[in-house]
Amino acid sequence: MNKSNLSAEKTPQTQQAKPSHKALQAKKHKKIKAMLGQYLRQKTECEYLYEKIRNKHEDMQTLKAVTADSVGRHGNEVSDYVEKAIEQIDGLITYYAKMVVQREESERRVLSMIEQITDPDAYLVIYLHYIEGLPFSEIPQRLALSERCMWNRYRSALDSLCVCQENTAD
C-alpha cells in the first residue's frame, strides 16, 4: 500500500481519537485559568466575610445600646439576641481565619506562577485580572493597549504558563 491509500483508509473514529493541538491547548488554558481564578474567588470570599463580620459587630453594638437604655424589656429577649450575635461573629471569625490562610497560600502559588511570564504586558494583563480583579474590559485602557493586543498578550501569557506547568510537572 502506498501513502495515499493509507490516508484514504482513515476513519472518523481514528481521527477523533487524537485531539488536535488547539483542543489540547484550550484544555491546558482552562486548567491554568482555574488555578488563577481560585485565588480571586478566595480573595472575594474573604472580603465578603470581613464585611459580614463588621456588619454583625455593628448590629451587636446596636443591640447592646438598646439593652443599656432605661426602657423595660420582656425577659431576656434582647440579651439573647446579643449572645446570638456574638456566637455568629465568633463562628464567622473562625471561618474567616481559615479562609485567609487558604487565600495567602493561593496568592503565593499564583504570584510565583505568574512571575515566570517574561513579557511585561502579558504579566500585567494576568496580574490585573486575576490578582487585582479588574475586568478584561478595563485592562486595555489601563495599559494603553488595544483590546486585540490585550487578548493576544493574555493568550501569550496562558501559553507561557502552560509551558511552565509542563516543565515543573516533568
Side-chain angles (χ1 to χ4, degrees):
M1 278 190 172
N2 62 26
K3 286 185 180 182
S4 62
N5 289 343
L6 285 176
S7 62
E9 292 177 6
K10 286 186 180 178
T11 64
Q13 293 167 339
T14 58
Q15 290 175 349
Q16 289 177 353
K18 204 174 193 184
S20 70
H21 173 72
K22 202 170 194 175
L24 285 174
Q25 198 67 1
K27 190 174 181 179
K28 290 176 185 177
H29 282 196
K30 186 175 181 178
K31 183 179 175 185
I32 294 293
K33 289 189 271 189
M35 291 169 67
L36 293 169
Q38 179 183 4
Y39 165 73
L40 192 55
R41 284 187 299 278
Q42 289 173 337
K43 178 182 172 187
T44 303
E45 185 171 357
C46 284
E47 290 168 353
Y48 169 76
L49 287 170
Y50 179 81
E51 194 61 31
K52 193 170 182 178
I53 291 168
R54 200 170 66 75
N55 289 341
K56 288 283 183 193
H57 185 61
E58 288 174 5
D59 291 347
M60 186 186 69
Q61 294 302 323
T62 304
L63 289 171
K64 281 183 180 179
V66 169
T67 61
D69 70 11
S70 60
V71 179
R73 301 281 176 237
H74 296 83
N76 291 333
E77 189 177 304
V78 175
S79 63
D80 288 345
Y81 286 130
V82 171
E83 189 173 319
K84 191 180 229 179
I86 290 170
E87 289 173 5
Q88 288 176 341
I89 290 171
D90 287 345
L92 285 171
I93 288 172
T94 302
Y95 182 63
Y96 176 72
K98 289 177 186 176
M99 285 303 301
V100 166
V101 169
Q102 289 178 2
R103 181 193 54 83
E104 288 173 350
E105 289 172 7
S106 288
E107 183 177 28
R108 277 192 294 277
R109 262 194 322 274
V110 167
L111 286 174
S112 70
M113 193 167 98
I114 67 172
E115 284 173 355
Q116 298 173 32
I117 300 170
T118 55
D119 177 3
D121 287 336
Y123 171 86
L124 284 172
V125 169
I126 295 292
Y127 184 87
L128 289 173
H129 183 67
Y130 289 104
I131 303 298
E132 295 295 322
L134 204 64
F136 282 120
S137 60
E138 295 179 22
I139 293 174
Q141 182 180 1
R142 177 75 78 82
L143 298 180
L145 297 171
S146 70
E147 187 174 337
R148 183 177 187 167
C149 185
M150 185 265 313
W151 285 113
N152 287 338
R153 296 289 199 271
Y154 177 68
R155 279 188 290 282
S156 167
L158 291 178
D159 290 341
S160 173
L161 291 172
C162 287
V163 169
C164 291
Q165 285 298 107
E166 287 173 359
N167 292 340
T168 57
D170 293 338

